[in-house]
Amino acid sequence: MAGHTSDEFVNQVRSAVDIIDVVGEYVQLKKSGRAYLGLCPFHSEKSPSFNVNAERQFYHCFGCGAGGDVFSFLMNLEQLTFPEALHKLADRAGIPMPEFQSKHEEDSPEKRLKHLMQEAHQLASKLYQYVLTETPYGVDAMKYLTQRGMSMKTVSEYQIGFAPDSWDFLTQFLKKRNFSLDVMVEAGLLAKSDGGKIFDRFRGRVMFPIHDSQGNVIGFGGRMLDTSQAKSQPKYLNSPESVLFNKSATLFNLHRARPYIRKKKQALLFEGYVDVVSAWQAGFTTGVATLGTALTEQQARIIRRNVDSVVLCYDGDAAGQEATSKAIHILQQAGLTVRVAPLPQGTDPDDYIRQHGADAFSQQVLLQAMPVTAFRLKHLRGQIVINDETDKARFIAKALEIINDLDSPIERDLYQRQLAEEHSLSLNDLKWESKRVFRQQKSDRQRDKVEPAWNNSINNGKVTLAKSLPPAYFTAERMLLYYMMRNEDIATRVQQECNAHFQVDEHDALAAYLYAYYAEGNPEDPGKFIHYVQDDSLKQLASGLAMMECKEDVSDLEIGDYIKQVNNYPKRAELERLREEQRSLHLQATAADSEDARKQLEIQAAVTGMKILELENALKEG
């Protein structure tokens, strides 16, 4: 157990929470037999290999090996210490923390720093909102938001605020509360000039708090109120990267939209936070946004963990369409089904909703969302201006490349018919051209994949590597550990009858943990044992073994066979060594320079042969 904790309290919290509910807030889980499956949040994958065992309350990923209980899940995913994870789960279960735990200080300088930054961000968020709603400094900002159609309810929901046009408003506020100003610079709330002067980073801006997946404020997005200064300062300014804020791995509004996304089984992806806020107020609750940068693979994986389908709703200008094209590729690589919502040229979602209303946005934009192929063809039409037959032929060839990427022959046929009708072409001629384009695509791809071999020859044949089976002792050790986690009597028998340690170091270490676990009077429970194990790599090994599909009832004879395999391995290894030694002696005798040397080597080989015979007999008897 981690220090300063009570086993009874930890067990109480573990019993009060369900790992399925906790993991389900981060990963889209589907029931499969006795387990729940989803996409692993710890590595990138398209096919689910992340298993959660509801009965035993632990998880294991067969892709990357991550595994453990509900505490280790939160610790690894949210980068929490054990006390932090315990506190979080106790709060969730409504269990008050004991005095010894509530007074526990963070055990790491980095964790203390992170906690300090979170506290400062939370205070800054409240301060900015107070300035907006309760002071004269916020009057103009409030008028601006009202003109943009934002209600007080929305302002309150999103904790929107205002940073006065002052160099030291927040600086003095934080200083009076004994926050280190240098730490606040590191946190991104303040900034420092080349001369060393510290000042407010955000000035004269409408402030939109940015939250992590659990709803903690980790940064801000500030929209300039006086746009006359836009030439010297950016219109939108985000917090810089910090211990708290990783722009590439954060999605605006995820903590708020996640339950709606899960329920609807679809996410709505915008480019900016104002679009999300406007859409939310209009009743579209599944919106999330990137933070002023292009969509990243990390953000796409976060969406995929929560849902299978996403609708892209980027700006209708050329830059927005280009960003849409890039986002499509990243989202599809993450395994998402993508549709693209059309917006008029030069319009963003916020503008459209304010000008046309929620019904029009629903009917004319979201419900008109088109498949990726339709969008790519529309985007292509905007890129190639057709002035003559050469331009037309180039456009058709490019369009056929897009259509050929479709897996479904029915979809390909539908798009080919549309293309033929659009350009007054014979469908047969178009299909012939499609085959030609496809052959060219295939040839180009094969050429791209060719890598020169070491002998400069090209081998287009396929080589299939045979999978080697693990040694018998390796499988036996794993099977023994599987049953030892479920049966104390088996663990006791293995401890008494195994003459040698397990041959695999990790297996041996895990067995030692099991002996200690049962010696302390703990129950036969793989889930509790996994929590008992302190080493992360062994915790992962234990969760993987516990997830194996093995029959529950095992006979004494089978356990005896597994023990025999473990006990016999040193003998088998020694037998193999002796056989190799005998072969070497025979070869040396054949090449000996003299008769005496040859005889001496043959005698040594015969002695080795006797040892081999003894070992073989011992293995037969044992």
Side-chain angles (χ1 to χ4, degrees):
M1 293 293 124
H4 308 288
T5 62
S6 159
D7 287 351
E8 292 80 7
F9 181 71
V10 170
N11 289 332
Q12 182 187 3
V13 172
R14 186 194 296 109
S15 299
V17 295
D18 186 349
I19 193 172
I20 299 297
D21 294 336
V22 176
V23 174
E25 292 184 0
Y26 301 83
V27 180
Q28 187 181 13
L29 296 174
K30 294 179 181 177
K31 199 167 189 318
S32 176
R34 290 184 296 175
Y36 287 79
L37 296 179
L39 292 171
C40 181
F42 302 111
H43 81 289
S44 178
E45 63 178 7
K46 294 182 182 179
S47 299
S49 60
F50 186 80
N51 286 247
V52 186
N53 187 303
E55 180 186 356
R56 300 294 186 181
Q57 293 290 295
F58 62 84
Y59 69 92
H60 184 78
C61 176
F62 290 99
C64 69
D69 62 358
V70 67
F71 295 107
S72 55
F73 178 82
L74 278 183
M75 289 166 66
N76 291 325
L77 195 65
E78 295 286 347
Q79 297 301 298
L80 304 178
T81 61
F82 178 77
E84 286 176 325
L86 181 61
H87 199 297
K88 195 180 190 75
L89 291 172
D91 284 347
R92 178 191 182 96
I95 302 174
M97 294 293 294
E99 186 177 350
F100 73 83
Q101 184 63 29
S102 61
K103 291 181 178 178
H104 172 72
E105 290 188 356
E106 293 290 350
D107 57 355
S108 140
E110 185 180 346
K111 293 297 179 183
R112 289 198 293 272
L113 178 66
K114 184 177 178 181
H115 179 76
L116 197 67
M117 290 181 176
Q118 284 178 332
E119 185 182 350
H121 273 82
Q122 195 64 38
L123 285 172
S125 177
K126 291 178 180 178
L127 177 66
Y128 288 145
Q129 185 164 53
Y130 177 79
V131 171
L132 174 70
T133 58
E134 303 292 339
T135 74
Y137 300 106
V139 171
D140 289 341
M142 200 70 229
K143 285 181 181 177
Y144 162 78
L145 291 171
T146 303
Q147 290 169 357
R148 295 289 297 251
M150 288 190 192
S151 66
M152 279 303 299
K153 182 180 178 182
T154 300
V155 169
S156 176
E157 172 68 35
Y158 279 85
Q159 303 168 335
I160 299 171
F162 179 67
D165 193 7
S166 165
W167 290 94
D168 63 352
F169 177 76
L170 183 62
T171 303
Q172 293 302 322
F173 175 84
L174 294 171
K175 186 176 181 180
K176 287 177 183 177
R177 282 154 182 80
N178 297 317
F179 285 96
S180 163
L181 297 188
D182 284 326
V183 170
M184 295 301 98
V185 170
E186 190 179 343
L189 290 170
L190 307 179
K192 183 183 284 190
S193 68
D194 293 338
K197 183 179 179 180
I198 294 176
F199 56 92
D200 291 10
R201 177 177 294 276
F202 297 99
R203 305 179 304 280
R205 292 179 180 272
V206 177
M207 301 296 287
F208 295 84
I210 299 167
H211 301 78
D212 64 16
S213 62
Q214 294 304 295
N216 302 307
V217 180
I218 57 173
F220 290 95
R223 201 272 187 192
M224 186 184 295
L225 191 61
D226 182 4
T227 53
S228 64
Q229 302 178 35
K231 290 183 179 178
S232 59
Q233 297 182 41
K235 184 176 178 182
Y236 288 96
L237 179 67
N238 283 333
S239 293
E241 299 276 316
S242 71
V243 172
L244 287 184
F245 183 44
N246 180 354
K247 201 180 302 183
S248 299
T250 304
L251 285 166
F252 180 78
N253 201 50
L254 177 64
H255 72 291
R256 191 178 287 108
R258 183 161 48 201
Y260 301 97
I261 288 172
R262 294 276 182 84
K263 186 176 181 180
K264 195 170 182 181
K265 298 181 179 178
Q266 188 178 75
L268 190 54
L269 181 61
F270 295 101
E271 278 188 284
Y273 35 79
V274 175
D275 294 328
V276 170
V277 175
S278 184
W280 179 280
Q281 181 172 278
F284 305 101
T285 54
T286 60
V288 294
T290 52
L291 296 162
T293 57
L295 180 74
T296 66
E297 292 180 8
Q298 289 169 287
Q299 291 167 333
R301 289 199 296 269
I302 291 170
I303 296 173
R304 179 65 182 88
R305 289 203 298 263
N306 289 279
V307 78
D308 298 327
S309 174
V310 63
V311 174
L312 268 170
C313 193
Y314 281 12
D315 294 356
D317 57 15
Q321 297 302 289
E322 195 62 37
T324 298
S325 295
K326 293 177 181 177
I328 285 171
H329 175 71
I330 294 171
L331 292 166
Q332 288 183 325
Q333 285 292 104
L336 283 151
T337 300
V338 185
R339 295 181 74 86
V340 183
L343 279 171
Q345 174 72 28
T347 304
D348 62 34
D350 174 48
D351 292 333
Y352 191 96
I353 291 170
R354 285 190 291 110
Q355 293 170 14
H356 303 285
D359 287 343
F361 185 70
S362 175
Q363 298 294 323
Q364 302 302 319
V365 178
L366 298 185
L367 290 179
Q368 301 300 318
M370 62 186 75
V372 167
T373 300
F375 168 78
R376 292 176 68 189
L377 290 171
K378 180 182 177 183
H379 187 55
L380 182 65
R381 291 185 187 96
Q383 290 181 314
I384 298 179
V385 179
I386 299 177
N387 293 317
D388 52 32
E389 293 303 311
T390 301
D391 293 335
K392 183 176 179 179
R394 187 161 65 94
F395 171 81
I396 290 170
K398 290 287 185 183
L400 288 173
E401 286 183 11
I402 293 170
I403 295 170
N404 285 342
D405 283 339
L406 288 165
D407 292 327
S408 168
I410 296 174
E411 283 188 273
R412 288 199 299 271
D413 183 73
L414 287 171
Y415 282 109
Q416 286 169 352
R417 289 177 186 277
Q418 289 177 13
L419 191 63
E421 186 176 342
E422 181 183 346
H423 293 279
S424 303
L425 298 171
S426 159
L427 181 61
N428 288 334
D429 289 344
L430 191 70
K431 284 185 177 290
W432 182 89
E433 176 65 8
S434 176
K435 290 178 181 178
R436 187 196 67 78
V437 170
F438 178 76
R439 286 194 297 270
Q440 184 62 45
Q441 285 177 278
K442 188 176 179 181
S443 174
D444 291 343
R445 286 168 184 163
Q446 286 179 338
R447 187 163 57 247
D448 290 340
K449 288 179 182 177
V450 168
E451 295 181 3
W454 67 272
N455 62 353
N456 294 325
S457 65
I458 297 176
N459 178 11
N460 291 321
K462 294 182 179 179
V463 177
T464 303
L465 297 176
K467 290 185 178 180
S468 58
L469 292 174
Y473 74 87
F474 181 89
T475 302
E477 289 179 0
R478 291 176 69 86
M479 295 302 295
L480 286 174
L481 287 167
Y482 174 87
Y483 289 114
M484 288 163 69
M485 280 192 282
R486 287 163 168 76
N487 189 307
E488 184 177 359
D489 290 339
I490 291 176
T492 302
R493 181 182 174 187
V494 171
Q495 188 175 17
Q496 293 173 347
E497 295 183 16
C498 267
N499 302 326
H501 291 295
F502 283 179
Q503 299 305 308
V504 179
D505 290 341
E506 291 81 2
H507 293 175
D508 200 41
L510 196 62
Y513 260 115
L514 270 165
Y515 303 146
Y517 173 79
Y518 286 128
E520 292 175 14
N522 290 303
E524 298 168 336
D525 186 330
K528 289 184 178 179
F529 171 68
I530 288 168
H531 176 74
Y532 177 87
V533 175
Q534 295 300 296
D535 183 273
D536 286 342
S537 62
L538 293 180
K539 191 185 289 281
Q540 292 179 9
L541 172 62
S543 64
L545 292 172
M547 279 286 187
M548 291 195 312
E549 293 291 334
C550 303
K551 61 182 182 179
E552 292 303 313
D553 296 324
V554 61
S555 68
D556 290 342
L557 183 61
E558 287 176 284
I559 294 297
D561 285 340
Y562 293 139
I563 292 173
K564 187 186 296 184
Q565 288 289 349
V566 175
N567 285 340
N568 283 344
Y569 175 73
K571 297 176 185 175
R572 292 187 185 281
E574 176 63 10
L575 184 62
E576 185 57 38
R577 187 192 68 78
L578 289 172
R579 284 171 175 165
E580 182 60 36
E581 180 182 309
Q582 188 183 48
R583 282 193 292 270
S584 176
L585 288 168
H586 283 310
L587 287 172
Q588 291 178 51
T590 303
D593 295 334
S594 66
E595 183 64 19
D596 288 342
R598 186 188 66 76
K599 286 181 179 180
Q600 189 63 37
L601 288 167
E602 288 291 1
I603 291 171
Q604 291 179 32
V607 172
T608 303
M610 291 173 63
K611 293 178 182 178
I612 290 171
L613 186 60
E614 288 175 5
L615 268 178
E616 288 176 339
N617 290 332
L619 284 170
K620 287 176 184 177
E621 293 171 2

